[in-house]
Amino acid sequence: MSNYHIKHLEEYFQVYRKSVRHPEKFWEEIAEEHFLWRKPWDKVLEWDFTKPEVKWFQGAKLNITENCIDKHLFSHGDDTAIIFEPNNPDEEALHISYYELHKRVCKFANVLKSKGIKKGDRVCIYLPMIPELSVAMLACARIGAIHSIVFAGFSSSALATRILDSDCKMVITSDGSYRGAKTIDLKSIVDAALEKCPGVENVLVAKRIDSDIKLKEGRDEWLQPLLDEAEEDCKPEMMDAEDPLFILYTSGSTGKPKGMMHTCGGYMVYTAYTFKNVFNYRTGDVYWCTADIGWITGHSYIIYGPLANCATTVMFEGVPSYPDFGRFWDIVEKHKVNQFYTAPTAIRALAKENIEYIETHDLSSLKVLGSVGEPINEEAWHWYNDNVGKKNCPIVDTWWQTETGGIMISPLPHSTPTIPTYATLPLPGIQPALMDEEGNELEGYQVQGKLCIKFPWPGMARTVWGDHERYKDTYFSAYKNKYFSGDGALRDNVGYYRITGRADDVVIVSGHNLGTAPIEDAINEHQAVAESAIVGYPHEVKGNALYGYVILKEAGASRKHENVRKEINQLITEHIGPIAKLNKIQFVSGLPKTRSGKIMRRILRKIASNDTDSLGDTSTLLNPEVVEEIIENSLNK
Ligand code: 6R9
């Protein structure tokens, strides 16, 4: 029996039981059999959730890029590692072999070294979905620099916050990017961010668009000439299993974004193992995940997981609607994609379009479909199953988080019978627990509570960069000796899990996690705004959309509401990015508050969702009368 590639349900149960009874043995066998270690570990696992401290494969030495690239060169060097599909379908796709990837990563790594980047330095990568992005992250990993990739849709101030928080010495960016019919001037966003970041010594600029940008002398350089000059070989830096691999920021319900730190050994083992099993990947398959590498899904399941398995992974620069809504299906047909992994928001958007966009394409190569980022609603699930999978491809609804590093709860194709809206069963090694309001674990079936994990797994983040207390407070303080995910879930009568949504003030809009606090901070900067509260409400395509309740100052009350609305969204775009724009803005005279002054978002959420019958007892509020007024003028009635 192989732990590594599960083929049927019975085998899953066997492997799962073993993984829970002897977790260390279980992970040790996987780590030993499938990876290249330069020195073995002294100890498989050491952990203490009260500190919290988790160490996997302590004492071992490795480099993740040797596992993702070098290891495959001898027998698979000519196989395609990455298929780059450009935004413009008329531009030719690029097939990068493992051999070519090795050369590119080594050259890039040598450029980084020549700029003084060393093991442990932080490098910020702010790039669109072009090959340089994959190469840059792997080049960092090659020399032990810690990459911090910032999604290239974030604004200059969001970028600056992230650069400052992890004290990055270098930024890697491009002159611009293509997204559908639009061209975006990325470099000027970087320039604006860097006005606030004196610690950045070098900016390397990849050329992507036809532009005439200015480079700042002494700081900025074009990347290509440096690569042309660089040596083709670069010895991988030997890393401790617990050395940091990367930082990736995720929104919290309060305060600034949290830089989740992942380490080399455990993350590699976990993403590789989960990739192989969840997508049932076989040698020669072409796998495509539509996420952006700027999010954890892209880190783990476009790059590290697939490459560690010597897979062919597709990287798409564009958007699903360009040049038309058939683009995804066009790509599936063109590259004969076998596994396709996307988000419910994309599925819902495509489901609204003419079915001909699908019917005119041959999707017969597809074997497995995946979903990630938010709960997939039943309608979207069926549309995906019927029209994309032709009822012939298992759908893996994968629940996980930036913090977990890899997929935690998911069906396994051909093993786990699927039910729409259920993420189903925990992967081997994952021990979920549902907790009630009093902090007790709910045993048995047909229970609903807060979703926790009670035993460490190799892919988990080890800390919040620079703020271990925050890591402890956010994830390990709500329930003793457990990791708290921030999500709610139920376990049904056969033990299947269904994720019911966030239990905090994070709203998932089109699959992107958005903390409400930073959005409120942005709005409150508007001169006319006194106070604001943001909540999410269900939205047909985005899953959730944002609804803002805004109190205007006396002086602002006479201003045209339409103008203020525009300016508010402008501010949000500047501070966070267009993804955080509000769909609805209601001006109110007050916000419902508890006597301790905490805004009752629960009530606002209900009003925004037009679910006002069950508001509960509002009489204990500081200002119950305001609730009536808000309902009366609600924009979602
Ligand atoms: C991978 C990723 C994490 C949050 C998570 C949860 C939601 C993700 C889900 C899902 C229901 C799924 N989420 N996958 N909810 N079913 N299959 O998305 O990471 O961006 O950190 O978001 O997304 O609420 O807590 P991240």
Side-chain angles (χ1 to χ4, degrees), residues 305-324:
L307 296 182
N309 281 288
C310 195
T312 299
T313 174
V314 177
M315 180 178 179
F316 174 42
E317 182 184 28
V319 293
S321 54
Y322 181 81
D324 61 41

Side-chain angles (χ1 to χ4, degrees), residues 442-453:
L442 295 158
E443 306 282 349
Y445 300 109
Q446 285 187 313
V447 288
Q448 177 164 357
K450 301 284 161 58
L451 178 58
C452 290
I453 312 290

Side-chain angles (χ1 to χ4, degrees), residues 248-251 295-297 301 341 344 371-376 396-404 406-407 409 421-423 483 485-488 498-503 506 508 511-513:
L248 181 61
Y249 287 86
T250 187
S251 314
W295 309 112
I296 191 68
T297 305
Y301 298 111
Y341 191 26
S371 170
V372 60
E374 58 182 313
I376 177 165
V396 291
D397 177 359
T398 63
W399 175 82
W400 60 294
Q401 310 177 290
T402 304
E403 295 85 339
T404 68
I407 298 167
I409 303 184
T421 78
Y422 281 79
Y483 164 84
S485 67
D487 284 327
R498 178 185 183 169
I499 312 303
T500 51
R502 299 289 309 182
V506 171
I508 304 192
H512 302 314
N513 278 13

Side-chain angles (χ1 to χ4, degrees), residues 88-132:
N88 179 352
D90 296 333
E91 195 183 321
E92 219 171 302
L94 193 65
H95 291 247
I96 304 174
S97 67
Y98 274 94
Y99 181 73
E100 171 73 17
L101 184 63
H102 181 263
K103 194 167 87 182
R104 289 191 186 208
V105 169
C106 285
K107 276 177 165 272
F108 207 132
N110 284 327
V111 169
L112 296 178
K113 279 202 214 163
S114 74
K115 296 290 157 198
I117 300 296
K118 301 180 303 299
K119 177 175 177 178
D121 287 343
R122 274 80 59 206
V123 173
C124 173
I125 303 178
Y126 185 72
L127 278 172
M129 285 286 282
I130 56 176
E132 285 84 347

